[in-house]
Amino acid sequence: MALPIFKPDLLHLFSISLFLFTSVSISHSHSNDFCEAGALYGAAGCGISPPLSSAKLLIKGGTVVNAHHQEVADVYVEDGVIVTVRPNLKVGDDVQVLDATGKLVMPGGIDPHTHLAMEFMGTETIDDFFSGQAAALAGGTTMHIDFVIPVNGSLTAGIEAYERKAQKSCMDYGFHMAITKWDEDVSRDMEIMVKEKGINSFKFFLAYKGSLMISDELLLDGLKRCKSLGALAMVHAENGDAVFEGQNRMIELGITGPEGHALSRPPVLEAEATARAIRLASFVNTPLYVVHVMSIDAMEEIAKARKSGQKVVGEPVVSGLVLDDSKLWDPDFSIASKQELALYIYCCCFFFCIFAILYVMSPPIRALGHAKALQAALSTGILQLVGTDHCAFNSTQKAFGIDDFRKIPNGVNGIEERMHLVWDTMVETGQMSVTDYVRVTSTECARIFNIYPRKGAILAGSDADIIIFNPNSSVGISARSHHSRTDTNVYEGRRGKGKVEVTIAGGRVVWINDELKVSPGSGKYVEMPPFNYLFSGVDKADDSYLASLNAPVKRSKSTRCRGEVNGLVSQVSQAGIVPEITLHHLPLGPSFREDGCVRRTAWTSAPFRFPLSELRNGLPPIIALSCHPEMVLWT
Ligand code: URP
Ligand code: ZN
Ligand code: ZN
């Protein structure tokens, strides 16, 4: 049932107060809320307990799945590292044994795209490095790579801030770094980030005009610098100038609700920026990673580039793979009831259609059809790995844009749901094999960011980041049971096949029997070295490019021509009253001039004569030719 939307002022005030009241009470009643950030983490009553830490662990009888192979085998772990993967291992009594018979033993997920504790659009994402990571672990993800945002353009200030934020980590993590301005300091600091801080990727925002957006000139500088450092350039590909124009257009049309967000930044603007970034990366000859590919249009640009041999990585995010934009338009109360936040949603949805604002992210979640095409692209290798762009805000924060879609903080949740949703959407539907599932959720990310096989594999010597997955079980998603701090979930009410029953991070059992056992400070920073596999061959391509130029063309210097012509001067006929020079057979178009004389730019293949009477002041007839190398002169 569609409800009428009206906004008399008093009702507006009433609803805002009710909204704030209900969102506060709902978030406080949230069963899995973690304690506030900081020192309280890990304290009794926070809903968490310390990890089950046994230095020795055996995972017995499961099917071990790597991206390249699967087999029934046992996995023996000691001190956080996988020691042996082999069937029928025998161990002593001091080893904790987990029975995985009938289940899949897979590398923990690696999420290449998250925003924890990110200051953005006037607020800060609700999940920090503890709550976000705890949520990730409950969903089978054991490492993520977050984006450091520079402070006033400064990379060093940015990394310092993120190092502080990450102190409470409970799982392994790495950093990408955004570049938001360009000068010599930034260029120098990029090298420091790569060589001293273990960052091997830099992100350029082509959208968010007035805040994070950069120009094409900066993008070119950045691409060149990335190439020289062996760092991977990443782009948020939307045309920010055109988005700004689109936003103004919507406001002029009186469209202020969340549907205006999608309408103001259509797929064509994503495709344009994707194509532009791809072409500039090709011009510089450096690999490119396109984050959150949300539309068929952008995906096809990536497909075209890859087909032509260009090294472009395309990352769909789970929201783009499984959702469509209908929620942005839907004022129907029945959706609210699914959220089981009836009073809150009823009041807000009734007056302001607030439910839709939860789905606002950039690029927007697209119309029906895009998700299916992105799934197909993922299953056929056009797109390579799945991220989340986990950038969670609670409903109070989302409501900043209740009257103006431009103020809705952009971003949705997903860090906890990704592994389950990709399984259900891709494997359960027959679109993807189990080994490919491991590839797109873990291994490919490890390869691209140059940490394979330490991460992304169940091999002797790899970190013991492992999940035990029951394909015959199922899992439901709800804000009431998830571990993120946000009070809503864009996947609310979904139920899918497959369940992460156990998560092991760094050899510690951190999720078992639906319980988290995590402690802040236990996560490690993972340094990622430059020059990943995408860089191999870049130098050879540069060499063939240079060879293909056929330039610079070697041209004769004018002095040489002058010498030749001087030789000719001796052939000057002095006979008769009007002496002449005769030039025979000038096969190509010479432009020559007779020094101190008239200028001639004609050419002829026939003997060319001109009278010396044209010389001024009787100067010697020195002829300077403008040096066409093929000019042949003889008499
Ligand atoms: O809406 C989004 N995607 N928010 C996070 C920032 C970004 O663009 O990645
Ligand atoms: Zn982005
Ligand atoms: Zn993002």
Side-chain angles (χ1 to χ4, degrees):
M1 176 187 65
L3 294 168
I5 298 167
F6 55 96
K7 303 196 227 175
D9 277 343
L10 272 176
L11 284 177
H12 187 171
L13 279 175
F14 165 73
S15 177
I16 289 276
S17 334
L18 190 59
F19 170 73
L20 291 174
F21 168 75
T22 49
S23 55
V24 166
S25 44
I26 283 163
S27 67
H28 278 189
S29 66
H30 188 240
S31 64
N32 264 301
D33 242 7
F34 290 105
C35 297
E36 286 307 303
L40 277 180
Y41 278 127
C46 287
I48 52 174
S49 44
L52 293 179
S53 57
S54 164
K56 298 175 183 175
L57 196 64
L58 181 73
I59 305 163
K60 212 166 168 40
T63 300
V64 176
V65 188
N66 278 302
H68 63 283
H69 181 63
Q70 68 183 77
E71 60 174 335
V72 175
D74 299 343
V75 181
Y76 178 62
V77 171
E78 232 179 71
D79 296 327
V81 175
I82 298 170
V83 177
T84 318
V85 183
R86 210 163 0 103
N88 303 318
L89 286 173
K90 301 275 174 278
V91 291
D93 291 346
D94 57 339
V95 177
Q96 182 188 352
V97 180
L98 295 167
D99 183 14
T101 310
K103 299 176 187 167
L104 304 172
V105 179
M106 302 192 277
I110 308 175
D111 188 339
H113 187 159
T114 60
H115 302 280
L116 300 182
M118 179 207 198
E119 284 154 44
F120 187 46
M121 297 186 73
T123 183
E124 185 170 321
T125 56
I126 192 79
D127 279 323
D128 60 20
F129 277 78
F130 184 73
S131 68
Q133 293 183 351
L137 290 168
T141 288
T142 51
M143 178 177 169
H144 71 115
I145 314 178
D146 209 84
F147 289 88
V148 173
I149 306 297
V151 175
N152 298 325
S154 160
L155 310 196
T156 44
I159 190 91
E160 276 166 26
Y162 272 74
E163 281 168 348
R164 272 194 302 278
K165 290 174 199 262
Q167 277 170 1
K168 61 183 74 152
S169 289
C170 57
M171 77 182 201
D172 289 1
Y173 61 96
F175 286 141
H176 314 286
M177 169 76 77
I179 300 294
T180 54
K181 77 166 191 189
W182 192 257
D183 57 25
E184 281 181 6
D185 289 349
V186 171
S187 177
R188 184 204 58 220
D189 288 351
M190 281 175 75
E191 184 168 4
I192 294 172
M193 295 305 134
V194 172
K195 296 192 173 154
E196 295 173 22
K197 294 290 183 182
I199 289 179
N200 68 2
S201 48
F202 294 94
K203 180 176 177 184
F204 302 88
F205 287 90
L206 308 186
Y208 304 126
K209 186 171 175 160
S211 59
L212 299 171
M213 179 172 143
I214 50 106
S215 65
D216 285 355
E217 186 186 7
L218 193 158
L219 179 60
L220 273 166
D221 283 330
L223 288 169
K224 284 191 288 181
R225 191 71 175 129
C226 280
K227 179 180 180 179
S228 71
L229 295 168
L232 185 57
M234 309 173 86
V235 279
H236 171 130
E238 285 184 292
N239 185 316
D241 286 320
V243 167
F244 185 68
E245 172 71 22
Q247 290 173 329
N248 290 341
R249 190 189 292 171
M250 291 310 127
I251 297 296
E252 276 163 26
L253 291 169
I255 303 169
T256 56
E259 70 280 12
H261 177 75
L263 292 170
S264 66
R265 41 209 315 155
V268 67
L269 302 190
E270 189 187 344
E272 186 280 330
T274 306
R276 180 161 35 106
I278 285 173
R279 281 156 180 74
L280 293 182
S282 161
F283 180 62
V284 173
N285 184 29
T286 197
L288 182 72
Y289 181 114
V290 183
V291 306
H292 47 41
V293 179
M294 296 295 281
S295 63
I296 295 174
D297 316 53
M299 178 268 286
E300 283 177 346
E301 293 296 338
I302 293 167
K304 205 161 63 181
R306 287 177 63 86
K307 207 167 155 196
S308 79
Q310 197 179 335
K311 288 167 177 166
V312 181
V313 174
E315 171 211 82
V317 289
V318 73
S319 51
L321 285 172
V322 311
L323 298 174
D324 66 70
D325 71 348
S326 53
K327 306 274 196 320
L328 288 171
W329 269 263
D330 204 333
D332 195 320
F333 178 64
S334 65
I335 298 172
S337 62
K338 272 189 220 148
Q339 286 279 63
E340 298 181 43
L341 301 172
L343 176 64
Y344 153 68
I345 294 293
Y346 175 80
C347 294
C348 301
C349 187
F350 187 82
F351 295 119
F352 304 112
C353 195
I354 190 157
F355 182 73
I357 62 178
L358 308 179
Y359 292 85
V360 166
M361 67 167 287
S362 294
I365 293 163
R366 304 295 186 187
L368 204 65
H370 287 267
K372 194 77 198 120
L374 295 177
Q375 290 168 24
L378 180 66
S379 70
T380 52
I382 292 168
L383 303 174
Q384 291 74 46
L385 74 170
V386 183
T388 60
D389 197 5
H390 183 85
C391 185
F393 299 99
N394 66 18
S395 48
T396 312
Q397 294 172 300
K398 282 288 194 184
F400 294 162
I402 201 161
D403 280 334
D404 182 345
F405 67 85
R406 295 170 299 180
K407 298 186 183 141
I408 304 169
N410 287 196
V412 300
N413 65 294
I415 201 166
E416 184 168 355
E417 296 78 13
R418 181 183 71 124
M419 297 294 279
H420 286 117
L421 287 169
V422 174
W423 178 274
D424 194 53
T425 308
M426 301 303 296
V427 184
E428 279 300 325
T429 57
Q431 295 186 86
M432 183 167 271
S433 67
V434 182
T435 48
D436 278 346
Y437 171 79
V438 168
R439 177 174 56 78
V440 303
T441 56
S442 182
T443 311
E444 191 54 28
C445 183
R447 289 185 70 226
I448 290 169
F449 296 101
N450 226 1
I451 47 174
Y452 181 86
R454 173 181 167 193
K455 300 284 186 190
I458 300 192
L459 296 171
S462 300
D463 284 359
D465 294 343
I466 301 169
I467 57 173
I468 302 179
F469 188 88
N470 186 347
N472 299 314
S473 186
S474 67
V475 84
I477 299 174
S478 170
R480 284 177 305 133
S481 54
H482 72 200
H483 298 80
S484 160
R485 282 225 198 88
T486 182
D487 53 3
T488 60
N489 191 315
V490 290
Y491 309 104
E492 183 70 36
R494 280 180 178 256
R495 193 156 196 99
K497 277 293 288 293
K499 182 172 178 4
V500 175
E501 290 187 341
V502 179
T503 305
I504 298 158
R508 298 181 316 264
V509 179
V510 290
W511 170 251
I512 191 164
N513 302 326
D514 289 341
E515 258 184 68
L516 266 174
K517 307 189 179 289
V518 287
S519 58
S522 54
K524 287 191 301 294
Y525 178 62
V526 178
E527 292 196 8
M528 298 179 285
F531 292 104
N532 68 9
Y533 76 93
L534 295 165
F535 280 86
S536 75
V538 163
D539 48 351
K540 291 203 174 64
D542 277 345
D543 291 347
S544 18
Y545 163 75
L546 291 177
S548 75
L549 293 179
N550 275 328
V553 173
K554 302 235 173 348
R555 293 186 175 84
S556 315
K557 292 277 177 342
S558 60
T559 48
R560 201 178 133 237
C561 299
R562 182 183 287 269
E564 284 176 29
V565 177
N566 280 342
L568 192 71
V569 170
S570 64
Q571 308 296 325
V572 168
S573 161
Q574 293 288 344
I577 301 164
V578 181
E580 326 178 302
I581 295 175
T582 304
L583 307 178
H584 286 277
H585 195 68
L586 302 175
L588 288 169
S591 155
F592 62 92
R593 68 191 172 89
E594 304 95 275
D595 236 4
C597 186
V598 290
R599 287 172 183 276
R600 291 173 191 257
T601 54
W603 75 279
T604 176
S605 59
F608 177 65
R609 305 164 137 225
F610 63 90
L612 283 184
S613 61
E614 286 186 17
L615 293 175
R616 268 186 282 151
N617 309 324
L619 286 171
I622 296 169
I623 299 175
L625 297 172
S626 65
C627 295
H628 195 289
E630 290 182 50
M631 182 189 284
V632 181
L633 301 173
W634 71 93
T635 56

